[in-house]
Amino acid sequence: MSAAGPVGIPILRLGDVLVTGLLNELDDATVVAFTEELTTRITTDRARGVLIDISRLEIIDSFVARTLMELTTMARLLGARVIVAGMRPPVALTLAELGLSLTGVETALNAEHGMVALGWHRSSRSSGEVLHDGRR
């Protein structure tokens, strides 16, 4: 696992999946630096999946929305599947009002559903241990 990168947004590696999240206070420079950092990590970590948790994001503007679409396209070209998880209703409403549909961006209700879509499964053990590819 890795701690926060140069932009201060943590990008964690869990097997072949990178997990990260966007916070509410995002300026354009941070978003651009985050995109560069994440695409670099996809290549260096040989990630096949990326989960971006946006559940703490209360607002979104057209720049961040476009960046998520571009990031998804770049990741796909690098061989990774991206899932954006945890979109709040006000964020979805804002995107609809802006006429942005996040074309090509796969979404999940929450981070757990996103991880399942990327091949992770929660163990039935009481410890709540999360396993990859069904291994127990």
Side-chain angles (χ1 to χ4, degrees):
M1 280 195 260
S2 178
V7 295
I9 299 174
I11 301 172
L12 307 174
R13 184 174 61 83
L14 298 173
D16 56 2
V17 175
L18 298 176
V19 180
T20 188
L22 297 180
L23 302 175
N24 203 31
E25 300 298 321
L26 292 172
D27 58 53
D28 291 357
T30 300
V31 172
V32 169
F34 169 72
T35 299
E36 292 173 3
E37 168 94 12
L38 188 55
T39 53
T40 298
R41 289 286 305 275
I42 289 168
T43 303
T44 58
D45 292 348
R46 296 181 179 154
R48 67 162 190 82
V50 177
L51 178 81
I52 303 174
D53 184 355
I54 63 168
S55 62
R56 296 189 62 190
L57 198 62
E58 294 179 12
I59 58 170
I60 192 167
D61 62 19
S62 60
F63 180 75
V64 173
R66 273 194 319 274
T67 302
L68 281 172
M69 289 186 292
E70 291 169 1
L71 178 58
T72 298
T73 300
M74 287 186 282
R76 195 176 305 123
L77 291 170
L78 294 171
R81 178 180 175 196
V82 175
I83 296 182
V84 175
M87 185 178 302
R88 293 178 175 208
V91 172
L93 179 62
T94 300
L95 289 171
E97 288 174 347
L98 293 172
L100 299 170
S101 62
L102 293 182
T103 304
V105 177
E106 196 173 345
T107 60
L109 182 61
N110 56 40
E112 184 175 359
H113 288 155
M115 290 300 287
V116 168
L118 290 171
W120 284 78
H121 306 282
R122 170 162 267 168
S123 170
S124 60
R125 298 177 192 166
S126 61
S127 68
E129 179 183 354
V130 177
L131 305 173
H132 187 56
D133 293 329
R135 289 177 278 142
R136 297 182 190 264

